């Protein structure tokens, strides 16, 4: 797993510490970034390092930064995946820049398809809910949400779900509920013969109404961040420790390679979880980046 | 406070029990709905009842239901407010039908303005965050979000905040972040000279970045429901009791009267909290339904 050591608010310390934890669990890692700063964090530890002379800051414009910094830690790490020298890549850096660079370096599976960032959330019934898009795009159209459904179904299948049900994230469950994009997406899924359950609210989704829940990337990103903020509010207000993040990291679906995007504020333990997600995804018998099944 | 006894999944029992709790705390209430069913729930208790022969089910189309059932418990309760026989109205029923009926019965403050459903959330710093719209509209345009900002600022002022800061709910804080509606709203707020802080993510909003946070009603409703679902997931997964709802109920801003919409699944305690919100809002020196301040 190529680990972008420069990404995230706590980089490089949290990224390096997380990589050390992952290595202790038997996951082969390579750290990518400023060699001197990484070695300072590593101390006496011996992990492979690949130098990258540049890194992209969180506040930069994604497109401009990718163009201006061809030797960023993100670009170098993705290059290792493209060259087959790493199975996968994990970064807690600028998600927009990672997405743009991943499409450029690894290419999308299908030029006609958008990529999407997906997270796997625990459900109350013990299953998992794949939610996408949580931020690779904004202002997506119904046809994009149908593509997200195909990507999500393909990922769910690699995790052993034989017939994943697709829901469309909504403010209500009746066919009249949702905004214009939601209603058109449900109609399009129906027309494609998808295995879908129509509009689904967040509560029923986490209770087990579906395995794949699609939404526009703006809506999904706000929903995930609202979940995390509410959990932090409730746990801190009762004086408890904040629990681990709601999800271990987002998997970028639709590119030819495994790319995991971790939280910008990820701790070492959360970085390790995101590296594990990358490793698991790359090791899965069926790659999550297989071409999506039609009719999903 | 006119309480719609027929609204909500647990009606009339939860609504009646909640009204009893509110009455015990000194709030004058009147129950509106099927007289016989309400009296059966009341038992030996003596609370005023106004009969309404019809009630609107959650699955009905809002517009069709309001037209077909002019004597619904929602319509009768709102009529009591319009006639001055009640200070305010609270219902856990069909939020779309309540909104449509409220605009029809109480009239909007300004025909050119949309109404919005607002909730007040606790912030980590001890302040309150007014979030709107959480479901009165979907597919709102930037000019509507600017109106929501005015309505939210007016409500915040009645709660003693001298100079409420307005944020626009977003997936990131930089000016390039957000979807098209978010970016156009920030530009419009700037052009109007509003006291705004631009794009705000859910976490910083709950930490105190602003007092008023505006969004499209679809996005806001999904965000609120995502918060509640995540809190339920975390509390149940650690075996704890679910905490009380994240908010006590939504206040419908922009109509000439106080209308509170409670959770569809509200318990008696939550119904009582929503009745208290209605009572407090109606008693506030400056009514939250005063014409919104310009330049908000």
């Amino acid at each position: 797993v190529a680990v972008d050591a420069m990404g995230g608010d706590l980089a490089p310390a949290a990224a390096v510490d997380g990589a050390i934890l992952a290595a202790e669990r038997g996951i082969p890692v390579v750290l990518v970034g400023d060699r001197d700063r990484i070695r300072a964090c590593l101390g006496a530890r011996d992990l492979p390092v690949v130098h990258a002379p540049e890194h992209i800051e969180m506040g930069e414009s994604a497109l401009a930064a990718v163009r201006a910094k061809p030797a960023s830690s993100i670009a170098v790490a993705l290059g290792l995946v493209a060259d087959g020298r790493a199975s996968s890549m994990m970064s807690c850096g600028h998600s927009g820049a990672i997405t743009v660079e991943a499409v450029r370096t690894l290419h999308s599976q299908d030029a006609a398809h958008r990529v999407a960032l997906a997270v796997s959330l625990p459900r109350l019934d013990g299953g998992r809910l794949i939610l996408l898009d949580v931020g690779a795009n904004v202002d997506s159209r119904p046809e994009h949400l149908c593509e997200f459904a195909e990507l999500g179904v393909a990922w769910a299948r690699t995790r052993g779900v034989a017939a994943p049900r697709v829901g469309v994230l909504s403010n209500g469950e009746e066919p009249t509920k949702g905004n214009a994009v939601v209603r058109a997406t449900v109609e399009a899924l129906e027309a494609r013969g998808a295995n879908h359950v129509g509009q689904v609210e967040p509560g029923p989704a986490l209770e087990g109404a579906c395995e794949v829940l699609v939404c526009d990337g703006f809506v999904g990103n706000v929903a995930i961040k609202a979940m995390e903020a509410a959990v932090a509010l409730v746990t801190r207000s009762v004086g408890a420790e904040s629990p681990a993040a709601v999800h271990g990291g987002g998997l970028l679906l639709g590119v030819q390679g495994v790319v995991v995007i971790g939280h910008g504020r990820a701790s070492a333990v959360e970085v390790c979880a995101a590296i594990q997600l990358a490793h698991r995804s790359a090791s899965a018998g069926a790659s999550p980046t297989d071409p999506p099944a039609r009719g999903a």
Side-chain angles (χ1 to χ4, degrees), chain A:
Chain A
V1 181
V3 177
D4 170 17
M6 312 311 286
D9 299 346
L10 309 174
V16 171
D17 289 346
I20 291 170
L21 287 175
E24 287 171 355
R25 294 175 190 193
I27 298 176
V29 294
V30 52
L31 287 158
V32 180
D34 184 287
R35 186 184 290 120
D36 294 340
R37 293 184 62 194
I38 293 172
R39 292 219 170 120
C41 293
L42 276 173
R45 299 271 182 173
D46 185 26
L47 286 181
V49 176
V50 170
H51 183 63
E54 299 171 320
H55 75 271
I56 294 174
E57 306 279 355
M58 295 301 256
E60 294 186 69
S61 152
L63 274 172
V66 165
R67 283 198 196 108
K69 297 179 176 173
S72 72
S73 55
I74 290 170
V76 172
L78 286 166
L80 294 178
V81 179
D83 296 346
R85 290 193 286 154
S87 71
S88 53
M89 181 269 203
M90 196 292 297
S91 173
C92 295
H94 191 306
S95 61
I98 299 166
T99 302
V100 170
E101 190 70 63
V103 170
R104 201 170 79 153
T105 307
L106 301 177
H107 309 291
S108 60
Q109 280 170 23
D110 178 341
H113 275 60
R114 288 208 171 181
V115 300
L117 189 62
V119 292
S120 170
L121 303 173
R123 293 191 323 212
L124 277 162
D125 65 349
R128 306 289 300 186
L129 175 70
I130 294 174
L131 175 66
L132 76 168
D133 175 30
V134 299
N137 316 274
V138 298
D139 291 322
S140 296
R141 296 193 299 269
E143 58 267 32
H144 302 139
L145 269 71
C146 289
E147 294 167 10
F148 302 162
E150 294 180 359
L151 292 168
V153 163
W155 189 22
R157 287 206 175 114
T158 70
R159 299 186 65 147
V161 182
R165 294 163 299 169
V166 175
V168 182
L169 180 61
S170 177
N171 58 340
E173 308 208 330
E174 297 81 14
T176 56
K177 290 292 177 72
N179 60 11
V181 168
V182 166
R183 290 189 297 267
T185 300
V186 172
E187 283 174 19
L189 288 172
E190 180 66 26
R192 290 174 180 216
N195 182 21
H196 79 92
V197 294
Q199 285 92 332
V200 179
E201 292 184 70
L206 289 181
E207 285 164 10
C210 55
E211 283 73 42
V212 174
L213 187 62
V214 296
C215 56
D216 165 70
F218 174 80
V219 172
N221 194 274
V222 166
I224 278 286
K225 287 176 175 165
M227 287 182 177
E228 291 170 349
V231 169
L233 182 77
V234 169
T235 52
R236 284 198 236 169
S237 68
V238 299
E241 289 273 313
S242 273
V246 173
H247 62 92
L251 187 60
L252 194 64
L253 300 180
V255 292
Q256 296 181 354
V258 174
V259 177
V260 168
I261 304 180
H263 286 263
R265 295 173 197 164
S267 65
V269 169
E270 289 165 341
V271 166
C272 176
I275 294 172
Q276 289 177 300
L277 172 62
H279 184 64
R280 260 201 325 272
S281 300
S283 308
S287 159
T289 56
D290 279 350
R294 289 287 154 179

